Amino acid sequence: AKPSPRFATRAKMLWDDTYFYVAGDMEEPDVWAKLTDRDAVIYYDNDFEVFIDPDGDTHEYYELEVNAFGTEWDLFLGKPYRDGGPAIHAWDIRGLKSAVHIDGTLNRPGDTDRGWSIEIAIPWVVLKECAHRDTPPNDGDQWRVNFSRVEWQTRVVDGRYEKVVDSADGKPLPENNWVWSPQGLIAMHYPEMWGLVQFSTLKAAEKTVDFVPSANEEVKWALRRYYYAQRTHRMQYGVYADDVERLKLDVAPPEGWTWPPVVHVTPNWFEASAVNTVEGKRWIICADGDIREEAVPLR
């Protein structure tokens, strides 16, 4: 339902035993940037952003933003903002490497640039801190990843780029947010909507590898729908629903899993779980959005 981006953006990923590499290439006729202080709010400029949730539980994930100056803003989130956050701005990606190339001129109105590109190397040793899984990844592992590009509308005033403002209130028009994996809403901090990246130990360009959908994603999404419904119920009535029927969930039962979920509710908390006794595992989602797997005894 949204228009295509005005300018093309491409991203590429590679990895080795030391780094997770990301490259971004952005078409841009007017390359500009203003922010030069590390950990400034970089999306106030046009930027390129990387989001990584290694274990896909929506908690303990990483964000990196870089503008055309190469100014970096790296931050760590224990939880999404919707679940209480907050972001840890003092956290740094130790050993981060990044470089920007301008195909044109920076901050020079009057000519037409071709764009800018960025290359990033993120050490696995940093991602391992809260990944709760092997780093570097094993062959076939899947991580939640997304890329975002922020693009403001600008005009030239006195030989400088300025953001276009709303004539009614004088505030800059909302920025465009262009993403790799569709979010479904204008908010990046919904990690469950990020793309799934599957790692392969084959050398790049040596051979193609099929993506293998995980059966766990279906039950995780069903539980996530329950989580959304509970949040809505609490906003409307001040409490969580202690009866699944009250939520009027339109969710098909995941094949092989108990459904509706087993729920435990208190005034300020809930847990909901689905069990697969054949595979001997249970998936649980909590009121703060955390989702995790547990083993159950086989019968």
Side-chain angles (χ1 to χ4, degrees):
K2 300 295 181 181
S4 297
R6 300 190 303 279
F7 309 126
T9 310
R10 298 181 300 164
K12 180 175 283 191
M13 291 167 276
L14 291 170
W15 67 290
D16 59 21
D17 289 341
T18 308
Y19 295 102
F20 177 44
Y21 301 97
V22 173
D25 184 70
M26 290 151 282
E27 178 188 15
E28 175 59 74
D30 294 291
V31 181
W32 65 273
K34 294 185 178 182
L35 300 171
T36 57
D37 292 335
R38 184 184 175 91
D39 290 338
V41 182
I42 298 300
Y43 65 78
Y44 288 162
D45 283 354
N46 291 347
D47 76 358
F48 183 79
E49 305 177 355
V50 182
F51 297 83
I52 305 173
D53 181 10
D55 60 358
D57 66 352
T58 75
H59 285 202
E60 296 180 328
Y61 61 88
Y62 311 95
E63 177 181 355
L64 171 66
E65 303 183 5
V66 186
N67 67 4
F69 270 139
T71 308
E72 301 162 345
W73 181 25
D74 46 7
L75 57 160
F76 171 81
L77 287 96
K79 299 179 182 180
Y81 295 112
R82 68 184 182 215
D83 296 311
I88 301 174
H89 300 270
W91 177 83
D92 286 331
I93 302 175
R94 301 185 310 277
L96 171 69
K97 297 181 180 181
S98 69
V100 167
H101 171 73
I102 308 297
D103 193 357
T105 57
L106 179 63
N107 291 333
R108 186 184 297 173
D111 60 2
T112 300
D113 305 314
R114 287 174 291 278
W116 63 290
S117 59
I118 181 168
E119 295 179 68
I120 299 166
I122 304 174
W124 291 119
V125 68
V126 174
L127 296 176
K128 184 178 181 179
E129 293 173 357
C130 293
H132 305 296
R133 62 190 310 177
D134 292 340
T135 58
N138 297 307
D139 187 74
D141 282 357
Q142 295 177 358
W143 287 31
R144 286 281 182 186
V145 176
N146 211 352
F147 307 110
S148 174
R149 176 181 175 180
V150 170
E151 184 77 12
W152 297 87
Q153 297 182 54
T154 60
R155 60 179 182 174
V156 177
V157 178
D158 296 330
R160 295 183 178 183
Y161 292 112
E162 289 190 0
K163 295 174 184 175
V164 177
V165 300
D166 189 322
S167 59
D169 58 18
K171 296 181 180 179
L173 296 177
E175 73 278 15
N176 293 137
N177 294 270
W178 301 331
V179 299
W180 169 56
S181 182
Q183 287 293 104
L185 71 170
I186 304 176
M188 287 307 300
H189 293 275
Y190 278 67
E192 66 270 26
M193 303 302 294
W194 300 347
L196 281 166
V197 172
Q198 180 174 296
F199 291 87
S200 169
T201 52
L202 293 176
K203 291 183 179 179
E206 185 176 88
K207 183 181 179 181
T208 59
V209 178
D210 291 334
F211 180 81
V212 181
S214 170
N216 290 328
E217 291 304 317
E218 184 179 0
V219 69
K220 288 169 66 177
W221 182 244
L223 289 171
R224 183 68 57 185
R225 296 277 301 278
Y226 172 86
Y227 156 86
Y228 294 149
Q230 280 284 32
R231 285 174 58 88
T232 299
H233 189 278
R234 193 179 190 206
M235 285 189 290
Q236 291 178 341
Y237 303 107
V239 295
Y240 293 118
D242 56 6
D243 184 353
V244 176
E245 296 299 324
R246 292 181 60 187
L247 298 175
K248 300 180 180 178
L249 280 176
D250 182 21
V251 178
E255 185 176 354
W257 295 83
T258 57
W259 200 261
V262 176
V263 300
H264 300 280
V265 179
T266 69
N268 298 306
W269 192 255
F270 72 80
E271 290 188 358
S273 62
V275 177
N276 188 318
T277 55
V278 175
E279 298 182 7
K281 57 187 177 183
R282 173 191 292 114
W283 278 96
I284 302 171
I285 195 164
C286 300
D288 64 357
D290 184 35
I291 191 164
R292 64 184 186 273
E293 183 183 19
E294 293 183 352
V296 298
L298 292 176
R299 297 180 180 178

